[in-house]
Amino acid sequence: MTTDPSLSTFLSQARELLGDRAVLTDAEGFAPYANDWRQKFFGKPAAVVFASSTEQVAQLVRLANTHEVALVPQGGNTGLSGGATPDDTGRQVILNLSRMTRIRARDQDNKTITVDAGVTMQTVQEEADKMGLTFPLNLTARGTATIGGNLSTNAGGTAVLRYGNARALCLGVEVVTADGQIWDGLRGLRKDNTGYDLRDLFVGAEGTLGIITGAVMALHPKPAGVMTALACLPDPVPAKAAAQAVALLQIAQQHCNASLTGFEFMTPSSMNPVSDYYPQFARPAGLGTPEQSCVLLEVSHAESEQAATALLERVLEVAMEQDLVVDALVAQSMQQAQAFWDLREHITMAAAEDGLQVKFDIALPISSIAEFCRITEDKLRQAYPGIRLSNFGHLGDGNLHFNVAAPAELFEGLDRQGRHDACRQYVKANEDCIRRIIHDEVVARQGSISAEHGLGILRRDEAAHYKSSVEMDLMRRIKQALDPKNILNPNKVLRTNP
Ligand code: FAD
Ligand code: MLT
Ligand code: ZN
């Protein structure tokens, strides 16, 4: 129990407001909320409070203002940058919105759905399906990640190439401001030029400017045919395979245009742990050699499955003629298509089983990817002999997860715990220098150090290192204007406490 009188008063008033069962102060119950999904960041919250309505969120924020208690907004706690993890002072309170699960409205003709912030991505996908439409935002954590979290991180995923990221799919938001007012911006409009775009200020703000309590999300017509293929690239050198993947992308875009809905690159070192830890989702036996990288292509067609198949087969034929693809499988059933996606989607889970990595989420102009991979990989291998470079990602968006794992020799013969400890120590000792090598190469090519996961705490100081003083100053002034008491997610995105 806290000895801080203002925090104690806040907590007892929160209990009156929400009921005892919505205010968790027993540290034993904190585990699912206090640490991040990767177990990289470990927080010590004073409490976890669960709001069930916008009005409750607003009242809590007003209480937090009165007692100057910092709130860390949280949805499904699946974020990968530590944005939803409190600090270790024991003074911050997690405000979890996963109990806000109402579907507020469905509009068939406008192709929109209005939901509470705590509704999961998967539920929105299922609701869209019932309406005969599709909600195309998609990522592996869909069953737990919430719309509020998706919007606050401006999440990407595997369909950005065709449908855009969370921001592009959001037409309106409802927000509780840092002083506890409710802004109803739930407009289902595709055009609205009435002044500053406040919606876009809160999207991607990682809970530092306001708390998103509801959203209007855009839905799309369902394509009549969706076809998936796994293509194997010839060059066994991963950086050269990346160049071949870029060339394959050009062919796929030329033939398919907007029908190309997925283009995911996977090097062997990203796929191998899937075979080790999730053998049921391993790369199909006999597809190329284990040294070759793969691309997962998805083509969607408004008219028919045959039309989608024809496009996909034409792309693969042209790519094979140009020696950019050596082998390919076009899924013959929904189950086989799902198996291709299972391989892709289990990369992150398998990596987590394998041990902590230095994680990256970079964006580059597509024209720079081949050169970036060649130069950066050389530099890393020279500086860190034996590292395992687990490069994979949304190459069609110019977004790679260029992750670095510890050399295998460091943990040979150790059990699971020993391996995890060795990986953690390796990351701790080397992450700053590894980041500098990779991010310098990214920034030199006008890339971004966070394409879709956000800054949180993980990349906060990296962003400050690379951004101009003008940009940093504008960001600070926005934070100061919207959250002058620094109540909302302090020290995330920007350093706001000394
Ligand atoms: P949380 O983790 O709870 O929070 C994330 C951030 O948003 C925090 O800063 C938090 O304070 C803030 N926040 C949460 N809810 C609110 C709210 N209502 N109002 C204001 N602030 C809020 N991301 C991608 O972009 N692409 C991927 O392909 C992808 N794949 C993933 C795969 C796995 C296996 C996992 C574990 C994660 C993946 N992610 C991916 C990370 C992704 O950002 C999150 O899964 C998701 O968008 C966050 O939703 P959440 O509800 O879990 O948010
Ligand atoms: C993905 O693309 O699978 C996600 O962004 C998760 C990750 O980067 O590990
Ligand atoms: Zn990703």
Side-chain angles (χ1 to χ4, degrees):
M1 199 55 199
T2 177
T3 51
D4 178 334
S6 56
L7 189 54
S8 298
T9 315
F10 169 85
L11 291 175
S12 61
Q13 292 182 351
R15 262 193 207 94
E16 273 167 40
L17 175 67
L18 307 173
D20 285 348
R21 292 175 63 183
V23 180
L24 202 65
T25 47
D26 176 2
E28 280 178 21
F30 287 167
Y33 312 102
N35 312 326
D36 73 320
W37 186 87
R38 282 204 304 150
Q39 302 290 305
K40 171 145 174 78
F41 299 103
F42 300 93
K44 280 197 194 135
V48 186
V49 300
F50 298 87
S52 300
S53 67
T54 302
E55 192 48 48
Q56 284 187 348
V57 174
Q59 291 190 37
L60 267 168
V61 175
R62 277 179 238 139
L63 280 181
N65 262 277
T66 308
H67 301 291
E68 305 216 351
V69 169
L71 297 174
V72 179
Q74 188 176 82
N77 197 22
T78 67
L80 295 172
S81 304
T85 308
D87 68 14
D88 60 4
T89 59
R91 288 207 83 253
Q92 297 191 333
V93 171
I94 295 173
L95 170 51
N96 186 292
L97 282 86
S98 64
R99 292 188 188 171
M100 289 185 61
T101 55
R102 266 188 326 136
I103 307 289
R104 298 196 196 176
R106 299 167 183 83
D107 188 335
Q108 189 80 33
D109 288 348
N110 198 37
K111 296 188 182 56
T112 50
I113 187 163
T114 306
V115 296
D116 276 359
V119 173
T120 64
M121 173 187 275
Q122 186 170 327
T123 300
V124 178
Q125 291 174 344
E126 289 165 359
E127 289 296 323
D129 191 58
K130 286 184 211 156
M131 292 166 72
L133 297 168
T134 182
F135 178 57
L137 196 67
N138 196 22
L139 47 85
T140 316
R142 63 182 82 79
T144 314
T146 63
I147 289 297
N150 299 155
L151 288 172
S152 299
T153 55
N154 187 21
T158 49
V160 173
L161 183 61
R162 163 68 180 86
Y163 299 101
N165 51 17
R167 184 190 302 281
L169 290 163
C170 178
L171 302 187
V173 286
E174 176 188 79
V175 171
V176 170
T177 61
D179 57 0
Q181 298 185 73
I182 299 169
W183 173 50
D184 180 354
L186 290 173
R187 302 168 195 139
L189 303 175
R190 288 170 176 83
K191 289 183 141 184
D192 178 14
N193 278 355
T194 51
Y196 303 135
D197 199 327
L198 299 179
R199 173 197 62 199
D200 275 354
L201 211 49
F202 294 109
V203 173
E206 301 182 53
T208 61
L209 301 181
I211 298 177
I212 298 177
T213 47
V216 185
M217 302 304 292
L219 308 176
H220 283 260
K222 267 190 203 171
V226 180
M227 292 305 291
T228 312
L230 206 49
C232 187
L233 307 165
D235 207 302
V237 176
K240 290 188 184 159
Q244 290 170 333
V246 170
L248 174 61
L249 175 67
Q250 307 310 309
I251 295 172
Q253 288 183 318
Q254 193 190 346
H255 285 81
C256 306
N257 199 354
S259 293
L260 183 68
T261 44
F263 195 95
E264 298 285 320
F265 176 60
M266 298 175 278
T267 55
S269 50
S270 70
M271 288 182 279
N272 292 343
V274 180
S275 313
D276 295 342
Y277 301 104
Y278 296 95
Q280 68 276 35
F281 303 127
R283 158 190 195 150
L287 177 71
T289 68
E291 293 72 36
Q292 288 171 321
S293 298
C294 293
V295 169
L296 191 163
L297 296 109
E298 185 189 81
V299 171
S300 306
H301 204 283
E303 281 166 23
S304 69
E305 219 167 72
Q306 288 86 332
T309 309
L311 279 176
L312 192 52
E313 287 181 348
R314 182 72 191 127
V315 169
L316 294 170
E317 196 178 281
V318 174
M320 282 182 173
E321 279 164 16
Q322 296 184 20
D323 293 329
L324 292 169
V325 167
V326 274
D327 197 4
L329 287 172
V330 177
Q332 299 301 309
S333 62
M334 300 251 286
Q335 288 82 343
Q336 202 178 9
Q338 186 55 48
F340 296 170
W341 278 112
D342 280 340
L343 163 64
R344 167 61 184 86
E345 292 202 331
H346 280 79
I347 290 177
T348 304
M349 253 89 83
E353 279 297 316
D354 197 54
L356 200 65
Q357 303 179 335
V358 189
K359 194 150 179 52
F360 290 89
D361 174 35
I362 59 175
L364 288 157
I366 285 162
S367 46
S368 302
I369 286 179
E371 185 207 45
F372 166 86
C373 288
R374 181 169 48 79
I375 291 177
T376 313
E377 202 166 322
D378 276 357
K379 284 194 176 174
L380 280 170
R381 291 202 189 284
Q382 272 177 31
Y384 296 94
I387 51 152
R388 294 168 300 147
L389 194 52
S390 170
N391 182 12
F392 71 97
H394 322 285
L395 191 138
D397 310 326
N399 175 194
L400 293 176
H401 301 303
F402 204 76
N403 300 339
V404 177
E409 70 207 33
L410 283 187
F411 49 76
E412 255 158 34
L414 298 181
D415 63 6
R416 184 179 190 277
Q417 188 58 48
R419 191 179 70 238
H420 276 253
D421 291 346
C423 290
R424 192 170 288 281
Q425 274 169 25
Y426 186 85
V427 167
K428 199 168 174 209
N430 299 299
E431 63 185 336
D432 289 348
C433 299
I434 291 174
R435 270 199 209 115
R436 189 59 62 245
I437 292 176
I438 295 180
H439 286 162
D440 275 358
E441 294 299 331
V442 169
V443 172
R445 291 170 180 76
Q446 284 75 49
S448 165
I449 64 159
S450 180
E452 56 172 11
H453 296 166
L455 299 178
I457 195 98
L458 180 67
R459 302 191 182 87
R460 175 197 63 193
D461 296 344
E462 283 295 276
H465 176 81
Y466 290 109
K467 282 183 186 288
S468 70
S469 54
V470 177
E471 196 167 346
M472 289 306 295
D473 187 46
L474 286 170
M475 286 190 14
R476 266 188 220 104
R477 281 154 65 186
I478 290 171
K479 171 72 177 171
Q480 174 65 27
L482 294 192
D483 182 18
K485 284 185 159 182
N486 200 17
I487 296 284
L488 297 180
N489 223 358
N491 263 338
K492 305 290 171 45
V493 179
L494 285 170
R495 264 185 199 275
T496 45
N497 287 344

Coordinates of all heavy atoms in Angstrom, one line a residue, residues 265-305:
F265 N 8.5 -10.0 -46.7 CA 9.9 -10.6 -46.9 C 10.3 -11.4 -45.7 O 10.1 -10.9 -44.6 CB 10.8 -9.4 -47.2 CG 12.3 -9.8 -47.4 CD1 12.7 -10.7 -48.4 CD2 13.3 -9.3 -46.6 CE1 14.0 -11.0 -48.6 CE2 14.6 -9.6 -46.8 CZ 15.0 -10.5 -47.8
M266 N 11.0 -12.5 -45.9 CA 11.4 -13.3 -44.7 C 12.8 -14.0 -45.1 O 12.8 -14.8 -46.0 CB 10.4 -14.5 -44.4 CG 9.0 -14.0 -44.0 SD 7.9 -15.3 -43.8 CE 7.4 -15.7 -45.5
T267 N 13.8 -13.6 -44.3 CA 15.1 -14.3 -44.5 C 15.1 -15.6 -43.7 O 14.3 -15.8 -42.7 CB 16.2 -13.4 -44.0 OG1 16.0 -13.0 -42.6 CG2 16.4 -12.2 -44.8
P268 N 16.0 -16.5 -44.0 CA 16.0 -17.8 -43.3 C 16.2 -17.6 -41.8 O 15.5 -18.3 -41.0 CB 17.3 -18.5 -43.9 CG 17.4 -18.0 -45.2 CD 17.0 -16.5 -45.1
S269 N 17.1 -16.7 -41.3 CA 17.2 -16.6 -39.9 C 16.0 -16.0 -39.2 O 15.9 -16.2 -38.0 CB 18.5 -15.8 -39.5 OG 18.4 -14.6 -40.2
S270 N 15.1 -15.4 -39.9 CA 13.8 -15.1 -39.3 C 12.9 -16.3 -39.2 O 12.1 -16.5 -38.3 CB 13.1 -13.9 -40.0 OG 12.7 -14.3 -41.3
M271 N 13.0 -17.2 -40.3 CA 12.0 -18.3 -40.4 C 12.5 -19.5 -39.6 O 11.7 -20.3 -39.1 CB 11.9 -18.8 -41.8 CG 11.1 -17.8 -42.7 SD 10.9 -18.4 -44.4 CE 12.4 -17.9 -45.1
N272 N 13.8 -19.7 -39.4 CA 14.3 -20.9 -38.7 C 13.8 -21.1 -37.3 O 13.4 -22.2 -37.0 CB 15.9 -20.9 -38.7 CG 16.4 -21.1 -40.1 OD1 15.7 -21.5 -41.0 ND2 17.7 -20.7 -40.3
P273 N 13.7 -20.0 -36.5 CA 13.1 -20.2 -35.2 C 11.7 -20.7 -35.2 O 11.3 -21.4 -34.3 CB 13.2 -18.9 -34.5 CG 14.4 -18.2 -35.2 CD 14.3 -18.7 -36.6
V274 N 11.0 -20.4 -36.3 CA 9.6 -20.9 -36.4 C 9.7 -22.5 -36.5 O 8.9 -23.2 -35.8 CB 8.8 -20.3 -37.6 CG1 7.4 -20.9 -37.7 CG2 8.8 -18.8 -37.5
S275 N 10.6 -23.0 -37.3 CA 10.8 -24.4 -37.4 C 11.1 -25.0 -36.0 O 10.7 -26.1 -35.7 CB 11.9 -24.8 -38.4 OG 11.7 -24.1 -39.5
D276 N 12.0 -24.3 -35.3 CA 12.5 -24.8 -34.0 C 11.4 -24.9 -32.9 O 11.3 -25.8 -32.2 CB 13.6 -23.9 -33.4 CG 14.9 -24.0 -34.3 OD1 14.9 -24.9 -35.1 OD2 15.7 -23.1 -34.2
Y277 N 10.6 -23.8 -32.9 CA 9.7 -23.6 -31.7 C 8.2 -23.9 -32.1 O 7.4 -24.2 -31.2 CB 9.8 -22.2 -31.1 CG 11.2 -22.0 -30.6 CD1 12.1 -21.2 -31.3 CD2 11.7 -22.6 -29.5 CE1 13.3 -20.9 -30.9 CE2 13.0 -22.4 -29.0 CZ 13.8 -21.6 -29.7 OH 15.1 -21.4 -29.3
Y278 N 7.9 -23.7 -33.4 CA 6.5 -24.0 -33.8 C 6.6 -24.8 -35.1 O 6.2 -24.4 -36.2 CB 5.8 -22.7 -34.1 CG 5.6 -21.8 -32.9 CD1 6.5 -20.8 -32.6 CD2 4.5 -22.0 -32.1 CE1 6.3 -20.0 -31.5 CE2 4.3 -21.2 -30.9 CZ 5.2 -20.2 -30.6 OH 5.0 -19.4 -29.5
P279 N 7.1 -26.1 -35.0 CA 7.3 -26.9 -36.2 C 6.1 -27.0 -37.1 O 6.2 -27.2 -38.3 CB 7.8 -28.2 -35.7 CG 7.7 -28.2 -34.2 CD 7.5 -26.8 -33.8
Q280 N 4.9 -27.0 -36.5 CA 3.7 -27.1 -37.2 C 3.5 -25.9 -38.2 O 2.7 -26.0 -39.2 CB 2.4 -27.3 -36.3 CG 2.0 -26.1 -35.5 CD 2.8 -25.9 -34.2 OE1 4.0 -26.2 -34.1 NE2 2.1 -25.4 -33.2
F281 N 4.2 -24.8 -38.0 CA 4.0 -23.7 -38.9 C 5.3 -23.4 -39.7 O 5.5 -22.3 -40.3 CB 3.7 -22.4 -38.1 CG 2.5 -22.5 -37.2 CD1 2.5 -22.3 -35.9 CD2 1.3 -22.9 -37.8 CE1 1.4 -22.4 -35.1 CE2 0.1 -23.1 -37.0 CZ 0.2 -22.8 -35.7
A282 N 6.2 -24.4 -39.8 CA 7.5 -24.2 -40.4 C 7.3 -24.0 -41.9 O 6.3 -24.3 -42.5 CB 8.3 -25.5 -40.2
R283 N 8.3 -23.5 -42.5 CA 8.4 -23.2 -44.0 C 8.1 -24.6 -44.7 O 8.7 -25.6 -44.3 CB 9.8 -22.7 -44.2 CG 10.3 -22.9 -45.6 CD 11.8 -22.5 -45.6 NE 12.2 -22.3 -46.9 CZ 13.2 -21.5 -47.3 NH1 13.8 -20.8 -46.4 NH2 13.5 -21.4 -48.5
P284 N 7.3 -24.6 -45.8 CA 7.0 -25.9 -46.4 C 8.3 -26.6 -46.9 O 9.2 -26.0 -47.5 CB 6.1 -25.4 -47.6 CG 5.7 -24.1 -47.3 CD 6.7 -23.4 -46.4
A285 N 8.3 -27.9 -46.6 CA 9.5 -28.7 -47.0 C 9.6 -28.7 -48.5 O 8.6 -28.7 -49.2 CB 9.3 -30.1 -46.4
G286 N 10.8 -28.6 -49.0 CA 11.0 -28.7 -50.4 C 10.8 -27.4 -51.2 O 11.1 -27.3 -52.4
L287 N 10.4 -26.3 -50.5 CA 10.4 -25.0 -51.2 C 11.7 -24.4 -51.2 O 12.2 -23.8 -50.2 CB 9.3 -24.1 -50.5 CG 9.2 -22.7 -51.1 CD1 8.5 -22.7 -52.5 CD2 8.5 -21.8 -50.2
G288 N 12.4 -24.4 -52.3 CA 13.8 -23.9 -52.4 C 14.7 -24.6 -51.4 O 14.4 -25.8 -50.9
T289 N 15.8 -24.0 -51.0 CA 16.7 -24.6 -50.0 C 16.6 -23.8 -48.7 O 16.1 -22.6 -48.7 CB 18.2 -24.5 -50.4 OG1 18.5 -23.1 -50.4 CG2 18.3 -25.1 -51.9
P290 N 17.0 -24.3 -47.6 CA 16.8 -23.6 -46.3 C 17.7 -22.3 -46.2 O 17.4 -21.5 -45.4 CB 17.4 -24.6 -45.2 CG 17.3 -26.0 -45.9 CD 17.5 -25.7 -47.4
E291 N 18.6 -22.2 -47.2 CA 19.4 -20.9 -47.1 C 18.7 -19.8 -47.9 O 19.2 -18.7 -47.9 CB 20.8 -21.2 -47.8 CG 21.7 -22.1 -47.1 CD 21.3 -23.6 -47.1 OE1 20.8 -24.0 -48.2 OE2 21.5 -24.3 -46.1
Q292 N 17.7 -20.1 -48.6 CA 17.0 -19.1 -49.4 C 15.9 -18.3 -48.7 O 15.2 -18.9 -47.9 CB 16.5 -19.7 -50.7 CG 17.7 -20.1 -51.7 CD 17.2 -20.9 -52.8 OE1 16.3 -21.8 -52.7 NE2 17.8 -20.7 -54.0
S293 N 15.8 -17.1 -49.0 CA 14.8 -16.2 -48.4 C 13.5 -16.4 -49.2 O 13.5 -16.9 -50.3 CB 15.2 -14.7 -48.5 OG 16.4 -14.5 -47.7
C294 N 12.4 -16.0 -48.6 CA 11.1 -16.1 -49.2 C 10.3 -14.8 -49.2 O 10.6 -13.9 -48.4 CB 10.2 -17.1 -48.5 SG 10.8 -18.8 -48.6
V295 N 9.3 -14.7 -50.1 CA 8.4 -13.6 -50.1 C 7.0 -14.2 -50.1 O 6.7 -15.1 -50.8 CB 8.5 -12.6 -51.3 CG1 7.4 -11.7 -51.4 CG2 9.8 -11.9 -51.2
L296 N 6.1 -13.7 -49.2 CA 4.7 -14.1 -49.2 C 4.0 -13.0 -50.0 O 4.0 -11.8 -49.6 CB 4.2 -14.1 -47.7 CG 2.9 -14.8 -47.5 CD1 2.7 -15.2 -46.1 CD2 1.7 -13.9 -47.9
L297 N 3.3 -13.4 -51.0 CA 2.6 -12.5 -51.8 C 1.1 -12.8 -51.7 O 0.7 -13.9 -51.7 CB 2.9 -12.6 -53.3 CG 4.3 -12.3 -53.8 CD1 5.0 -13.6 -54.2 CD2 4.3 -11.3 -55.0
E298 N 0.3 -11.7 -51.6 CA -1.2 -11.9 -51.5 C -1.8 -10.9 -52.6 O -1.4 -9.7 -52.6 CB -1.7 -11.5 -50.1 CG -3.2 -11.8 -50.0 CD -3.8 -11.3 -48.7 OE1 -4.1 -10.1 -48.7 OE2 -3.9 -12.1 -47.8
V299 N -2.7 -11.5 -53.4 CA -3.3 -10.7 -54.4 C -4.8 -10.8 -54.2 O -5.4 -11.9 -54.0 CB -3.0 -11.2 -55.8 CG1 -3.8 -10.6 -56.9 CG2 -1.5 -11.0 -56.1
S300 N -5.5 -9.7 -54.2 CA -7.0 -9.7 -54.0 C -7.6 -9.1 -55.2 O -7.2 -8.1 -55.7 CB -7.4 -8.9 -52.7 OG -6.6 -9.3 -51.6
H301 N -8.8 -9.7 -55.6 CA -9.4 -9.2 -56.8 C -10.9 -9.0 -56.5 O -11.5 -9.9 -55.9 CB -9.3 -10.2 -58.0 CG -9.4 -9.5 -59.3 ND1 -10.6 -9.1 -59.8 CD2 -8.5 -9.1 -60.2 CE1 -10.5 -8.5 -61.0 NE2 -9.2 -8.5 -61.2
A302 N -11.4 -7.9 -57.0 CA -12.8 -7.6 -56.7 C -13.8 -8.5 -57.4 O -14.9 -8.8 -56.9 CB -13.1 -6.1 -57.2
E303 N -13.4 -9.1 -58.5 CA -14.3 -9.9 -59.3 C -14.3 -11.4 -59.0 O -15.4 -12.0 -58.8 CB -14.1 -9.7 -60.8 CG -14.6 -8.4 -61.3 CD -14.1 -8.0 -62.6 OE1 -13.7 -8.9 -63.4 OE2 -14.2 -6.8 -62.9
S304 N -13.2 -12.0 -58.9 CA -13.2 -13.5 -58.8 C -11.8 -14.0 -58.3 O -10.8 -13.4 -58.4 CB -13.5 -14.2 -60.1 OG -12.4 -14.0 -61.0
E305 N -11.9 -15.3 -57.8 CA -10.7 -16.0 -57.4 C -9.8 -16.3 -58.7 O -8.6 -16.2 -58.6 CB -11.1 -17.3 -56.8 CG -10.3 -17.7 -55.6 CD -10.9 -18.8 -54.8 OE1 -10.9 -20.0 -55.3 OE2 -11.4 -18.5 -53.7

